[in-house]
Amino acid sequence: MSWTRALPAALAVCVLLLTGSVGCDSGGDRHTNQQQGRQESQEGRPSPGSQGAGESTAPVGKVLDDTDEDGRHYRQVDGARAPEVGIEVQPDSDGSWDVRLTLRHFRLSPQGTPARAVAGRGFARLYVDHTPVADLRTPAHRIPAGYLPHGTHQVTARLYADDGTGWAVDGKPVQRTADITASGQGAPAPGGPAS
């Protein structure tokens, strides 16, 4: 057989193999094949409705009737892999206060993230004496010198989903509070949270 005949024959075999595998059934019924496809999706491959990086767009947790001070609803999640936050507040030599968050089962979303709830994602809202001060998208923040008047204050970090619902476990917000004592003469700045 010459090479001019071999090439078309080889191409014909390739075409048959490719189209044949697409059109052939593996012998199982359609329902069984669909179930196997779902199992494969659950075993690590992205399934329809997922975003690839392990972040599902399926509803996360249950939105509760309870709200925070601003009227934002809480989103109940299972305690086993629920987000956790820790807070440490230290005075700086210039009179400001350094705030550091430690996060577990939670990642802070960057600014501009779409407003939807994704498991283990969102932002932290920082409160001073129950007044919102900033929405944090990084684990560090500085309370400026003079912001806190003389006395004892509570600095709280509360976790929120990107859709604005507050993460909750057992009906209580996921938050942590640190008590600090300021010796300055400043007064709290007016206004809501800053980003």
Side-chain angles (χ1 to χ4, degrees):
M1 183 189 263
S2 74
W3 71 272
T4 56
R5 285 183 169 170
L7 183 60
L11 288 174
V13 168
C14 289
V15 168
L16 287 175
L17 287 175
L18 290 175
T19 58
S21 65
V22 171
C24 293
D25 195 352
S26 63
D29 66 0
R30 174 171 272 174
H31 179 71
T32 303
N33 290 340
Q34 288 174 347
Q35 285 180 334
Q36 287 173 348
R38 276 195 292 273
Q39 286 175 340
E40 287 174 358
S41 293
Q42 292 171 356
E43 294 171 356
R45 294 185 185 152
S47 60
S50 75
Q51 290 193 257
E55 299 171 357
S56 174
T57 58
V60 178
K62 177 185 175 193
V63 177
L64 303 176
D65 290 332
D66 295 338
T67 63
D68 68 5
E69 301 84 5
D70 298 324
R72 296 172 183 253
H73 287 273
Y74 291 118
R75 182 177 295 276
Q76 177 75 30
V77 291
D78 180 30
R81 298 271 307 154
E84 298 175 24
V85 62
I87 186 169
E88 181 180 336
V89 184
Q90 295 292 324
D92 204 350
S93 60
D94 66 356
S96 63
W97 295 83
D98 291 327
V99 178
R100 285 256 178 230
L101 304 182
T102 54
L103 304 165
R104 185 163 185 227
H105 305 299
F106 192 79
R107 291 186 321 184
L108 294 166
S109 300
Q111 189 70 33
T113 299
R116 68 173 178 259
V118 175
R121 297 292 304 258
F123 62 94
R125 177 157 289 169
L126 191 67
Y127 293 85
V128 174
D129 298 330
H130 308 288
T131 300
V133 174
D135 288 344
L136 305 183
R137 302 254 180 206
T138 64
H141 181 74
R142 180 170 288 220
I143 298 173
Y147 183 85
L148 299 174
H150 178 75
T152 302
H153 303 278
Q154 291 186 328
V155 180
T156 302
R158 184 179 299 157
L159 299 183
Y160 286 86
D162 289 312
D163 68 351
T165 56
W167 293 110
V169 175
D170 297 327
K172 294 181 175 38
V174 177
Q175 67 182 24
R176 189 73 57 185
T177 300
D179 292 327
I180 61 172
T181 302
S183 57
Q185 297 297 321
S195 292

